Amino acid sequence: FMLAFAALGNDFVLIRFLLFSGREYLQRQVSFAQFTSKLLGGIVGACVVDRVGRKRVLGPCFLATAAGTWLLAHAEAQTTLFVSVALLYSANEVLWSTVMTYTVEAFHTDLRSVALGMTVAIGRVGGALSVAVG
């Protein structure tokens, strides 16, 4: 649940952060940066994970996601905001896709299907609620 919320709940938190910090005029640019970073993170992740290994990728991605979240929470300038969004979303995409791939190799199909199904469902509900709330 927590990983799904971390992966999909950031969209909700970021939009609320922009509203509460008086920067709602940046929503479109930040949304574009979010999804461009996700695309780039997916491409880079696919290239790096097979060469380096799943376990070696997870640790740095957790750290990069934490650093991006910290930078985002403390972003005062627009440049810092966009850099933190790019770091957070690209690292989060690599992290999420690596965890999805790693679970295929580590857990039995029955356990994996139930756990991933519930995780994705909860994440999607959170994403839908974020649109409904604000």
Side-chain angles (χ1 to χ4, degrees), residues 27-101:
Q27 284 182 350
R28 287 189 180 176
Q29 295 93 334
V30 169
S31 292
F32 181 75
Q34 281 176 291
F35 297 113
T36 303
S37 299
K38 284 184 179 185
L39 178 65
L40 293 175
I43 293 169
V44 170
C47 295
V48 170
V49 167
D50 285 334
R51 291 189 180 130
V52 176
R54 283 144 186 71
K55 288 183 181 179
R56 288 187 177 163
V57 168
L58 285 175
C61 284
F62 275 116
L63 291 174
T65 302
T69 304
W70 187 86
L71 280 173
L72 181 62
H74 295 90
E76 294 181 11
Q78 285 185 5
T79 305
T80 309
L81 178 71
F82 284 106
V83 167
S84 62
V85 166
L87 177 63
L88 172 64
Y89 280 90
S90 59
N92 207 12
E93 185 64 29
V94 174
L95 176 67
W96 184 248
S97 61
T98 304
V99 166
M100 295 280 281
T101 305

Side-chain angles (χ1 to χ4, degrees), residues 6-20:
L8 302 172
N10 285 334
D11 299 337
F12 171 73
V13 172
L14 181 57
I15 297 304
R16 301 309 272 177
F17 173 74
L18 290 174
L19 288 174
F20 289 134

